[in-house]
Amino acid sequence: MKSLANKNILLGVTGGIAAYKSAEIVRHLKKSGASVRVVMTKSAEEFITPLTLQALSGNRVSTELLDTESEAAMGHIELAKWADGILIAPATANTIARLSSGRGDDLLSTVTLAFDGPISLAPAMNQAMWRDNRTQDNLNKLLTQDFGICGPGSGEQACGDTGLGRMLEPLEILEIFSSSFDKGVLSGKNVLITAGPTQEPIDPVRFITNRSSGKMGYSLAHAAIEQGAQVTLISGPVNIEPPSNCNVIAINTAKEMSDAVKHHIKEMDVYIGTAAVSDYSPAEVKDSKIKKAGDNSSMILELKENEDILKFVSELEDRPYVVGFAAETDKLIENAENKLKHKKLDLIVANDVSDKSIGFDSEENEVTLITKEEKQLLKKQNKKKISKKIIEFISGRINEQNN
Ligand code: CTP
């Protein structure tokens, strides 16, 4: 188990028979150097006394949301600010349901709402309750919101049934929980990301461009940096502040983007092409502003095809892990699969841009991750969360390749 030295851990104990194991969890947490505070639900007190957990943690156990005395000592907001991580063990089916619906009607649920950090659940319930679709749906909702899960284990249960649902042993739980503090699955990796649109000049005052806010690329840059990567961001003109700790290269045209990519690609472990690169640019750029004829005649603009940057990268002999984006208005999966194959990508992120609530300027996105072997839908959620999952997916695949 990784050290939890100097970490402030809030242990949530809810009402299941496995609550007796919480005492052991507190003991191990203390032993690994953590400061521990315990929050118990009302029903947890039927299984283990606050006094036991207080004696083991060395801190007053909190049980009430609306209690002047405990709020004065350390209220729900202070507890959320104090904690570096929350572990809920045991997490009953009822707790999982309440957390997934965002309830804030007792101290533990309120603290989790106010907390912005790793929360792990150690489920404990009867095997039929665990298998029930409602429990699984509630749990999946929490997992897409960055909750971690420790277990459950399989075996004989207190009620006599056998199956999945038994709470893991304290040390098994802490092994998983402590790894949620690990930083940097991409630590030591170089990641090149292209973002935003390109602008292809027609004359000094006009250009051709694509719709792209750059949000997805910038958010992926943040997520990769958070995972310890060294990020180079080659960006077309956008209105977003770039992350402070990354190398930003501002470009305008597809040719400039392509040159910048070629310049930086050598050292890269991962290439992510989110940019909406203009497929064509004017065959000739006029030095002075084109005047309209003013006689209702039509104007023909000759365009030449730009290089496919993504394809260039994937055809390199010593290529990085190559990720493309497919923004499609129809036949999403079919078109994305064709691009995956044609551009020889490791991964393509398919994005339906005909749906106004996702993509382009929106804060949310829903994408399907497609590789040769698998398809994974990341349901509609904010771009920050989607980015985190895409980065986790990529790092998982790179690590597989390296093993
Ligand atoms: N792309 C690129 N260079 C180009 C065009 C696209 O690197 N000249 C990359 C984009 O950054 C994206 C992926 O290719 O990751 C798919 O872009 P998209 O415009 O959807 O695909 P195209 O290949 O241009 O196909 P089409 O426009 O016909 O759908």
Side-chain angles (χ1 to χ4, degrees):
M1 171 177 137
K2 302 211 170 54
S3 163
L4 289 169
N6 303 321
K7 292 261 183 293
N8 291 338
I9 304 301
L10 191 141
L11 176 69
V13 182
T14 73
I17 185 75
Y20 76 93
K21 292 184 185 172
S22 306
E24 196 68 6
I25 294 177
V26 174
R27 215 172 56 78
H28 287 302
L29 280 171
K30 292 284 289 178
K31 217 167 135 194
S32 85
S35 296
V36 185
R37 289 184 182 272
V38 179
V39 171
M40 297 177 77
T41 60
K42 266 265 147 285
S43 50
E45 291 181 57
E46 305 289 331
F47 294 92
I48 185 167
T49 68
L51 200 58
T52 308
L53 299 176
Q54 182 164 307
L56 290 168
S57 67
N59 280 313
R60 187 191 157 138
V61 170
S62 310
T63 51
E64 301 289 338
L65 175 60
L66 303 171
D67 174 79
T68 38
E69 209 181 299
S70 55
E71 279 283 302
M74 201 181 233
H76 58 290
I77 302 296
E78 281 76 22
L79 281 169
K81 283 186 183 154
W82 171 85
D84 296 312
I86 297 182
L87 170 64
I88 303 182
T92 58
N94 181 40
T95 302
I96 291 171
R98 288 171 57 252
L99 294 180
S100 99
S101 61
R103 298 283 286 271
D105 51 4
D106 68 358
L107 183 60
L108 183 59
S109 55
T110 318
V111 174
T112 63
L113 284 177
F115 180 66
D116 183 22
I119 307 181
S120 289
L121 306 169
M125 66 197 74
N126 165 269
Q127 52 83 25
M129 291 168 74
W130 171 254
R131 273 192 288 114
D132 191 277
N133 283 341
R134 286 163 294 182
T135 302
Q136 289 303 314
D137 288 348
N138 290 333
L139 195 75
N140 284 333
K141 198 164 154 201
L142 290 172
L143 296 183
T144 62
Q145 290 167 20
D146 292 341
F147 277 66
I149 185 164
C150 314
S154 177
E156 198 178 328
Q157 303 200 295
C159 54
D161 281 6
T162 305
L164 264 180
R166 191 179 61 79
M167 188 167 94
L168 290 183
E169 292 307 318
L171 276 176
E172 293 174 305
I173 292 172
L174 293 176
E175 186 68 47
I176 302 168
F177 176 63
S178 60
S179 69
S180 64
F181 291 94
D182 277 356
K183 277 269 170 267
V185 278
L186 282 180
S187 151
K189 302 281 183 217
N190 292 313
V191 177
L192 180 58
I193 300 176
T194 64
T198 64
Q199 293 179 345
E200 312 304 321
I202 300 170
D203 68 13
V205 296
R206 304 179 177 97
F207 54 76
I208 300 174
T209 194
N210 279 328
R211 279 190 71 181
S212 168
S213 65
K215 281 182 187 158
M216 199 65 223
Y218 277 59
S219 145
L220 278 164
H222 277 287
I225 292 166
E226 252 173 50
Q227 290 301 338
Q230 181 60 50
V231 176
T232 301
L233 180 63
I234 300 175
S235 173
V238 294
N239 284 320
I240 321 174
E241 233 359 84
S244 54
N245 40 355
C246 91
N247 178 20
V248 186
I249 297 151
I251 55 85
N252 284 308
T253 65
K255 171 79 170 64
E256 287 166 1
M257 182 171 274
S258 158
D259 289 347
V261 167
K262 286 175 184 169
H263 187 78
H264 287 90
I265 197 67
K266 201 161 166 273
E267 307 302 325
M268 296 296 154
D269 300 291
V270 180
Y271 175 82
I272 311 178
T274 71
V277 186
S278 188
D279 287 331
Y280 293 91
S281 51
E284 187 192 352
V285 184
K286 299 281 185 203
D287 289 336
S288 45
K289 188 180 170 195
I290 301 169
K291 291 291 178 190
K292 69 169 179 274
D295 58 4
N296 283 333
S297 59
S298 51
M299 179 187 163
I300 293 170
L301 191 62
E302 194 187 333
L303 302 174
K304 62 174 184 351
E305 199 174 314
N306 289 326
E307 182 180 15
D308 191 315
I309 307 171
L310 192 57
K311 199 152 176 275
F312 165 83
V313 174
S314 67
E315 282 172 354
L316 288 171
E317 206 172 305
D318 188 14
R319 59 178 253 173
Y321 186 87
V322 187
V323 184
F325 269 67
E328 305 291 341
T329 52
D330 40 29
K331 295 198 197 134
L332 176 67
I333 302 297
E334 192 183 321
N335 282 331
E337 278 176 334
N338 285 339
K339 278 181 193 170
L340 175 82
K341 214 158 148 194
H342 172 65
K343 300 200 190 194
K344 304 192 189 77
L345 309 177
D346 294 299
L347 165 67
I348 192 145
V349 182
N351 177 190
D352 178 358
V353 285
S354 67
D355 181 344
K356 295 270 183 296
S357 68
I358 54 174
F360 290 137
D361 273 327
S362 117
E363 290 302 322
E364 296 196 307
N365 207 349
E366 175 169 297
V367 300
T368 306
L369 307 186
I370 308 175
T371 68
K372 250 192 285 174
E373 296 84 23
E374 61 193 314
K375 269 195 214 73
Q376 204 181 102
L377 172 70
L378 300 182
K379 281 198 152 303
K380 189 162 148 185
Q381 52 199 302
N382 74 41
K383 285 185 176 168
K384 195 172 160 200
K385 284 189 176 148
I386 292 264
S387 301
K388 190 166 178 238
K389 295 204 171 108
I390 295 174
I391 292 297
E392 279 169 3
F393 185 95
I394 294 171
S395 63
R397 295 310 169 278
I398 302 179
N399 290 334
E400 256 168 38
Q401 276 180 1
N402 293 343
N403 287 334

